[in-house]
Each structure stands twice: as C-alpha cells, then as structure tokens.
Amino acid sequence: MGFVSDFKAFLMKGEIVNLATAVIVGGAFGKIVTSFTNDVLMPPIGLLLGKVDFKNLKVVLQDAVPAVMENGVEKAPAVAEVALNYGSFIQTIFDFVIIGFCIFMVLKAYEKTKKKEEEAPAAPAGPTQEELLTQIRDLLKK
C-alpha cells in the first residue's frame, strides 16, 4: 500500500503536472511547426529554387530492384531503394530553427516580465511588532 500512495503523491506533485503539460503542448507545437515548414514555408522556397520539392531531394545509393518471377514463382526477392534523403533533413533543420526561434522569443518575454517584477518598488513596510506594541502601550497609558 505504501508504494501505491508514494507513487500517487509523486504523480500529483506540481512539477510533474507542469512537466507533463509542457510535453503535451510542446508535442502539439512541434506538429504545428512541422506543418508550417512543410506546407507553408518550403513550397515557395522550392518554387524559387526551380520548382524543387524538398521531400524528393535525395541521393540514390542503390536503385530498387523488382522481384524476379518465373511461372508465378519468385526466383529473386525485390530489393528496396537505398537513398540519402537530404531534402527531409533540410526540412527538419528548418523545423528546428523555427522552434528554437519561438522558444528564444518566449524566454526573452519571460525574462522581461521577471525583470519588471524585480524593478517594481516594494510595498512600504508596515510597523514592526515592537512599534505596534509601543503604540498599544502608549494608548493604554492615556
């Protein structure tokens, strides 16, 4: 019973909940950035570079070989193409740069709000306990 209650307490800590939320939001944000890169950013760049579709950019190391059939019997299996898909890699780099820039902007805004909080004048301190006791004593003397 102790293990289960300890595990439940661990899961309900604020840091774990915050981390889980950040991972979920980050995953969704990553999908948005990937879609933005693939569907909005790369097509015009490809068009400017001569109607290039970055997804199809690759260096073929070995061509695909179809299966050899004789009388309905496979004599040699098919061999898949072996290629370096550098176009997909370029799109992933764009994704990384966009996500990095967005995180940078969020952190800059966060630091700016933290700096404003630190620079804000502190509320005037109230009377100390001794001052209050002195005032009470003086009132009682009257």
Side-chain angles (χ1 to χ4, degrees):
M1 183 69 181
F3 177 79
V4 173
S5 61
D6 288 346
F7 185 65
K8 181 179 177 185
F10 169 75
L11 288 179
M12 299 315 279
K13 283 184 181 177
E15 298 86 21
I16 298 297
V17 173
N18 291 340
L19 178 62
T21 303
V23 168
I24 292 167
V25 170
F29 182 70
K31 288 180 182 181
I32 291 170
V33 170
T34 299
S35 176
F36 174 75
T37 304
N38 293 341
D39 303 328
V40 177
L41 189 64
M42 297 310 276
I45 291 173
L47 186 64
L48 289 173
L49 295 175
K51 298 183 180 181
V52 175
D53 183 6
F54 278 83
K55 293 176 192 167
N56 296 329
L57 293 177
K58 61 185 173 184
V59 174
V60 177
L61 301 175
Q62 179 180 337
D63 289 326
V65 178
V68 177
M69 302 294 283
E70 188 175 298
N71 297 328
V73 177
E74 184 177 325
K75 290 197 81 165
V79 177
E81 175 184 79
V82 178
L84 297 175
N85 299 311
Y86 67 91
S88 295
F89 181 69
I90 290 171
Q91 283 189 327
T92 303
I93 290 173
F94 271 97
D95 285 351
F96 175 77
V97 170
I98 292 169
I99 290 172
F101 179 74
C102 291
I103 290 172
F104 172 76
M105 295 305 291
V106 167
L107 289 177
K108 287 291 272 187
Y110 176 75
E111 289 173 3
K112 196 173 190 179
T113 60
K114 281 301 216 185
K115 190 179 273 188
K116 283 183 181 179
E117 287 176 7
E118 291 172 1
E119 292 174 357
T128 64
Q129 186 177 8
E130 289 143 359
E131 292 170 338
L132 288 174
L133 289 172
T134 304
Q135 289 175 2
I136 292 170
R137 182 197 66 201
D138 292 344
L139 288 171
L140 289 173
K141 281 183 181 180
K142 293 180 183 178

